[in-house]
Amino acid sequence: MSIASLARGHLPAPWLCALTLCAFALQTDDFVITGVLPALARGLTVSEAAAGQLVTIFSVVCAVAAPIAAVGTARLPRRRLLTTALTLFCLANFAVPLASSYAALMALRVAAALAAAVALPTVLAVTAQLAPPERRGRSLATVMAGLTGAVVIGVPAGTWTGAALGWRATFILGGALGLAALLSLRATLPQVPPAPAASLAARLRPLSRPAVLAALLAAAVSVLGNLLLQTYLAPFLYDLSGVTPTTLGLLLALTGVAGIAGARVGGTLVDRWGAGAAFATAAAVFAAATAGLALCGALRPAALALVVPLLVIWAAAAWAVPPAVQTRVLALAGPEHGPQALALTSSAVYVGASLGGALGGRLLASYGPGALPVAAACCAPAALLLFATAGRRRAAVASSSEASAA
């Protein structure tokens, strides 16, 4: 945003800043374990594969609970709902130092995930309700910047905090971010009436369309391939190049910046080439980058000068996928079912993340870190096949509609 536009009064509204901070806190808490995974595993005397399941359970709970919670909380005032969810989120994180066992920490992650499953969709819905129609897109983009900012700032900050003060301090940081968001929302967010409710059946209706289902499966497989490597990036990079927690934080920040750039490029490619070509390009680059990381295993210990460019390309390609998926799903579902279809896209992402964490943990335990990029590379052609299937079904439906009209 330029200085001139700021002078004309284009500063974000305080409530929008608070909602963005909320998104930042929730997304940071989702992925921050990846940076402290080895230390957490040692602290709880479990394997790194088992520690990675804390990421898996978070994603599973979000995928299952988000659409159900949206129906169950539809009649509650939005301000009260966000306050309650963020309070639970803060308590779940602040209680981590009291968790002396893996089971206790797992229970706290479930509680935090339930809070996130309620809060994050509500944040997006409230943003759309409060923003003026002419600024709605930009307001939603501001909140989405909080999600991407979590990857660039939040996760590296959590990694450095864990390296300096112990892995439990990472969750205290997450709780502090949640508390800051809670106080900001209480101070700035006006009373927002509940949006018109939709039944669970209405939210799931887009799944009855095979083309939509194929596109959602493509999204899930893409995220699976990304998260089975990202979740265990710390042990993978330590095994590959001896990367320490401090260096890992820097690399996570770098890949986060690459991810933001990749998302922007992905959106541009969708506008210029269409969703199919943009998805195919991202999938091909992702497969090449992860295959390159797999080949680096033969040079172990591999020089960071070789590994870092591949990590940057991998992250950019992974984040270039969502614009193509969202565009294709919206086109397939149509304006009537578009919002429900996009909500299901979020669930598909969480399903892919949970499967990625689970599969990555199994591969790590059975075959070692070197198996992770190999499996990730194999997911790209599978996702591309599903996405192409969705495109063919869309074309067939369009041809059928034209024939009926004639």
Side-chain angles (χ1 to χ4, degrees), residues 3-399:
I3 295 176
S5 64
L6 293 179
R8 290 193 297 268
H10 288 174
L11 281 170
W15 59 263
L16 182 58
C17 295
L19 291 171
T20 302
L21 178 58
C22 182
F24 174 82
L26 295 169
Q27 189 79 343
T28 296
D29 195 60
D30 188 359
F31 291 113
V32 76
I33 288 179
T34 61
V36 295
L37 193 67
L40 188 154
R42 289 192 300 270
L44 296 177
T45 62
V46 298
S47 68
E48 291 176 344
Q53 302 317 303
L54 294 168
V55 179
T56 300
I57 192 65
F58 195 105
S59 298
V60 169
V61 170
C62 285
V64 174
I68 298 174
V71 175
T73 61
R75 297 184 182 277
L76 295 178
R78 304 294 92 180
R79 192 167 184 266
R80 185 195 308 169
L81 180 61
L82 282 173
T83 297
T84 303
L86 283 173
T87 300
L88 174 60
F89 175 83
C90 293
L91 291 174
N93 279 282
F94 285 140
V96 167
L98 304 177
S100 58
S101 68
Y102 178 76
L105 184 56
M106 180 71 78
L108 291 175
R109 296 310 293 161
V110 169
L114 286 172
V118 172
L120 190 53
T122 305
V123 164
L124 296 172
V126 168
T127 301
Q129 283 181 265
L130 289 178
E134 69 276 8
R135 298 191 64 84
R136 186 167 295 150
R138 281 169 285 184
S139 297
L140 286 170
T142 299
V143 174
M144 294 302 294
L147 299 178
T148 53
V151 180
V152 179
I153 301 172
V155 174
T159 302
W160 292 325
T161 300
L165 303 174
W167 65 267
R168 286 182 171 85
T170 297
F171 294 94
I172 297 298
L173 175 63
L177 290 173
L179 181 59
L182 173 59
L183 295 176
S184 298
L185 288 173
R186 293 293 298 176
T188 63
L189 190 67
Q191 295 291 346
V192 182
S199 67
L200 185 59
R203 291 178 181 273
L204 297 179
R205 191 167 295 131
L207 289 178
S208 63
R209 301 187 179 189
V212 173
L213 182 58
L216 293 175
L217 287 174
V221 173
S222 297
V223 174
L224 187 159
N226 183 33
L227 265 292
L228 70 83
L229 177 58
Q230 182 176 324
T231 303
Y232 304 98
L233 199 58
F236 171 72
L237 290 177
Y238 179 79
D239 177 74
L240 185 64
S241 303
V243 170
T244 63
T246 301
T247 304
L248 177 64
L250 293 171
L251 292 178
L252 288 174
L254 181 61
T255 56
V257 172
I260 293 175
R264 188 172 185 85
V265 171
T268 301
L269 292 181
V270 169
D271 292 337
R272 292 182 178 178
W273 299 350
F279 189 96
T281 301
V285 173
F286 180 90
T290 47
L293 288 171
L295 291 174
C296 284
L299 304 175
R300 199 167 56 237
L304 284 179
L306 177 62
V307 173
V308 170
L310 291 171
L311 285 176
V312 168
I313 295 170
W314 157 71
W319 282 79
V321 166
V325 172
Q326 292 166 357
T327 301
R328 174 64 55 85
V329 168
L330 276 174
L332 290 170
E336 181 181 355
H337 300 294
Q340 291 87 353
L342 285 179
L344 289 173
T345 303
S346 297
S347 291
V349 167
Y350 279 120
V351 168
S354 62
L355 292 175
L359 178 59
R362 179 65 62 88
L363 291 172
L364 181 67
S366 301
Y367 303 104
L372 299 176
V374 176
C378 292
C379 289
L384 182 56
L385 178 61
L386 287 165
F387 201 77
T389 300
R392 287 195 296 269
R393 287 184 176 275
R394 178 192 177 195
V397 170
S399 298

